[in-house]
Amino acid sequence: KLSIPSIKSIKGIEHPPHFNIHHYAGVVGYNVEDWLTKNPDPLNDNCLDLFRKSSMPYMAELFADCVPAGPKERKKTFQTMAMMHRRSLNELMGMLNSTY
């Protein structure tokens, strides 16, 4: 379950969460400031392959151009979610700027 933190619950917190996820361990708040710099985790090749083959059209499309790298190419093609997000944002901004 996803929720938005109430103003009362975040009052006085230095870096308040932007959203909460409710799961078995309780409610966990997430702050998205500096998300691109805080998440340099590599994408696992097995996960990439599963995402690309997803039966959910949006998921399959989102990861369509992410091809798992072989052992020799892994260092050259190292991708993170943050890198993918940044590339996607740059493409969107390029498209928007070209229509202006």
Side-chain angles (χ1 to χ4, degrees):
K1 180 179 170 187
L2 182 71
S3 69
I4 304 299
S6 69
I7 298 295
K8 186 178 180 180
S9 70
I10 61 173
K11 189 174 184 178
I13 297 176
E14 185 177 349
H15 299 288
H18 294 108
F19 64 92
N20 295 322
I21 294 184
H22 303 251
H23 56 82
Y24 70 93
V27 179
V28 179
Y30 291 88
N31 181 302
V32 297
E33 286 181 33
D34 294 324
W35 183 84
L36 293 176
T37 56
K38 289 191 279 185
N39 290 282
D41 303 327
L43 295 172
N44 180 288
D45 287 350
N46 294 326
C47 291
L48 273 179
D49 200 38
L50 284 172
F51 295 158
R52 288 176 54 240
K53 295 176 181 175
S54 175
S55 60
M56 298 169 61
Y58 178 73
M59 188 72 129
E61 182 183 338
L62 188 62
F63 290 91
D65 64 342
C66 296
V67 179
K72 290 182 181 179
E73 299 170 339
R74 192 163 281 124
K75 288 183 181 178
K76 290 188 253 178
T77 59
F78 179 77
Q79 292 186 64
T80 66
M81 285 301 294
M83 291 166 74
M84 288 178 55
H85 187 71
R86 182 177 287 127
R87 185 184 68 222
S88 178
L89 283 174
N90 286 334
E91 289 172 3
L92 175 62
M93 291 306 296
M95 188 184 316
L96 290 172
N97 287 330
S98 71
T99 61
Y100 178 67

